[in-house]
Amino acid sequence: QVQLAESGGGLVQPGGSLRLSCAASGSIVHIMHMGWYRQAPGKQRELVASITTSGGSTTYANSMKDRFTISKDTAKNTVYLQMNNLKPEDTAVYYCHAFELRSPTNPANYWGQGTQVTVSS
């Protein structure tokens, strides 16, 4: 019902920066929050950061809070992830996520296709 279009992934040098974008479109009813997850080879998918649509409250994984910043443009149904001081261990597929209440008893989770972030010299 909702499509998530991601962009901004790529190759970056250690210590460099990258900005990811994710725009939601389609049959949007009420997206409550959007965020980013990542999955490295052989590892479980983990939360990077999340932001609520209404109040802009943010949640970060502890290991990334000082380097990554999540922001949003509510009018555009878009969320961003600014990644600074990137390290090789940040290499992963990054997935955009949206949580929506289509009705009080009908929540839905949506995922983007994933965008590759590679940190290497």
Side-chain angles (χ1 to χ4, degrees):
Q1 297 294 321
V2 175
Q3 301 293 320
L4 302 178
E6 301 161 321
S7 63
L11 176 65
V12 66
Q13 297 280 322
S17 298
L18 210 59
R19 182 172 178 264
L20 306 183
S21 300
C22 175
S25 63
S27 301
I28 299 173
V29 177
H30 189 186
I31 294 177
M32 300 297 293
H33 58 78
M34 298 180 68
W36 294 91
Y37 290 71
R38 72 182 185 185
Q39 187 167 22
K43 294 186 177 181
Q44 187 177 357
R45 187 175 298 186
E46 64 177 345
L47 173 71
V48 176
S50 182
I51 187 167
T52 63
T53 301
S54 59
S57 298
T58 57
T59 299
Y60 294 91
N62 289 335
S63 62
M64 290 164 275
K65 192 177 189 303
D66 295 333
R67 298 185 295 119
F68 293 4
T69 302
I70 190 169
S71 61
K72 65 180 179 68
D73 186 332
T74 303
K76 297 180 179 179
N77 295 121
T78 300
V79 65
Y80 308 93
L81 183 68
Q82 179 66 47
M83 303 185 292
N84 298 322
N85 192 25
L86 284 162
K87 304 175 181 180
E89 50 264 43
D90 294 319
T91 296
V93 178
Y94 285 70
Y95 296 90
C96 182
H97 168 260
F99 176 77
E100 181 184 52
L101 284 178
R102 301 189 66 80
S103 73
T105 57
N106 187 24
N109 289 281
Y110 302 99
W111 295 93
Q113 79 284 358
T115 183
Q116 178 70 48
V117 172
T118 302
V119 185
S120 177
S121 59

